[in-house]
Amino acid sequence: MSEPRPPWSARRRRLLVWLAVGAVLGGLGAAGLPDEFGVTAGFGAALCAFLLVVALVVFITVPGPDTLGTLLRTPPLAGAVLVVAVLLVMANPTGSSLRWLWVVAAVAAAGWTAFAVWETRRSGG
């Protein structure tokens, strides 16, 4: 039988609550504010809602402490980020104003992938 999951820390609960509050307040602002302020509030609400879903998935998938360390040592996640970054580099033409950002992201993702694979091989797991 598997061991029970450890309870979530106060920091995790507080993050989820504030993201939910941000999504609700941003949604209310999108409905009640005029023109560009409402659109900006709507984008803020969408961002908070997206981050809330991502945080829930991460917190459910990686229980307990050292969530960031666990994610950093996960080769499939690092490889997926590398693939997306390389696709973004290839999708932007040479001379594009954001191409340098995607190249830096791809190089960082390649380093992360190498680190994750090395850590996994080193620890035997």
Side-chain angles (χ1 to χ4, degrees):
M1 181 162 205
S2 66
E3 60 189 56
R5 291 180 177 262
W8 285 359
S9 67
R11 186 173 37 177
R12 283 184 176 196
R13 287 191 300 271
R14 191 175 34 226
L15 173 68
L16 294 175
V17 166
W18 279 111
L19 285 173
V21 166
V24 169
L25 290 179
L28 291 174
L33 292 173
D35 298 334
E36 69 271 1
F37 299 115
V39 171
T40 303
F43 281 128
L47 178 63
C48 284
F50 173 73
L51 291 176
L52 177 65
V53 170
V54 169
L56 276 172
V57 168
V58 168
F59 293 165
I60 290 170
T61 306
V62 184
D66 196 29
T67 303
L68 181 61
T70 302
L71 291 175
L72 285 176
R73 292 185 300 271
T74 306
L77 179 61
V81 170
L82 176 60
V83 167
V84 170
V86 168
L87 288 173
L88 284 168
V89 168
M90 293 189 317
N92 282 286
T94 304
S96 173
S97 61
L98 285 180
R99 184 175 172 87
W100 68 271
L101 177 66
W102 304 129
V103 169
V104 170
V107 169
W112 176 19
T113 304
F115 170 77
V117 169
W118 179 72
E119 272 294 310
T120 303
R121 300 282 185 215
R122 186 175 69 97
S123 66

